Amino acid sequence: MNLTIRNAGIPSLMSDWLNSDFFGPDLTDVEFFNGKRLGVTVPSANISETEKEFTIDLAAPGLTRKDFKVESDNQVLTVSAEKEDESKDEGEGYSRREYSYNSFSRSFTLPENVKEDKIDAKYQDGVLKIVIPKKEASPKKSKKQISVG
């Protein structure tokens, strides 16, 4: 079974239509619609699978553990983060304050063969690693002949 990624984006047909020369270069930039031009980025996800688990690695440097929120609800895993920064610069006769706010959210549809209550997440060196254990595979039952009476 595979994990399904839900991303906000433009379907391929719409993307192809917007990439025509009719609209010009500014409106055809799909990255504009995904938020990259607005200073919003969604971390890349690497998903791997073994016999025992799925692993999702999200590259999210510059955040801390407390910035993340990881939730699982009805076979959907949602990872989100919010970070607000403030910088002050005060000098003689002036004061400057700057604020920045960054957030993202990604959702993954989980297959039915996972243990939602055993999902584990760790953040280290700019990477959020989420381990999703699989349920034990039920042993295949042998074929049984049933007599018709």
Side-chain angles (χ1 to χ4, degrees):
M1 294 234 153
N2 291 328
L3 289 171
T4 303
I5 302 171
R6 293 181 186 177
N7 270 332
I10 298 176
S12 177
L13 182 61
M14 186 69 158
S15 178
D16 290 344
W17 178 68
L18 288 173
N19 280 329
S20 70
D21 291 334
F22 179 77
F23 291 104
D26 291 335
L27 291 176
T28 63
D29 188 356
V30 175
E31 288 182 356
F32 176 82
F33 295 105
N34 286 335
K36 291 182 182 175
R37 286 254 176 110
L38 302 174
V40 178
T41 58
V42 177
S44 299
N46 292 324
I47 301 172
S48 59
E49 178 182 8
T50 65
E51 287 183 23
K52 295 184 179 187
E53 64 193 18
F54 290 99
T55 303
I56 301 173
D57 292 323
L58 289 172
L63 299 173
T64 64
R65 288 177 179 90
K66 66 181 175 76
D67 296 329
F68 290 99
K69 183 177 180 182
V70 180
E71 297 178 313
S72 177
D73 183 30
N74 200 25
Q75 298 300 115
V76 176
L77 178 72
T78 303
V79 181
S80 58
E82 294 182 358
K83 184 170 181 93
E84 186 175 343
D85 286 324
E86 175 186 352
S87 65
K88 292 182 186 180
D89 185 15
E90 295 183 13
E92 191 174 316
Y94 74 92
S95 176
R96 182 185 73 178
R97 279 187 160 169
E98 292 186 19
Y99 300 92
S100 68
Y101 182 82
N102 292 312
S103 68
F104 75 86
S105 180
R106 287 199 76 171
S107 294
F108 304 88
T109 301
L110 301 173
E112 292 183 18
N113 68 331
V114 299
K115 298 177 184 177
E116 280 191 83
D117 58 333
K118 301 291 185 187
I119 295 174
D120 184 45
K122 291 189 169 111
Y123 182 70
Q124 184 177 355
D125 299 329
V127 177
L128 178 66
K129 183 175 188 165
I130 302 168
V131 177
I132 307 162
K134 292 181 179 180
K135 292 179 183 175
E136 296 291 326
S138 56
K140 293 189 176 193
K141 296 181 180 178
S142 60
K143 186 177 183 178
K144 179 181 175 183
Q145 181 71 33
I146 300 171
S147 62
V148 178

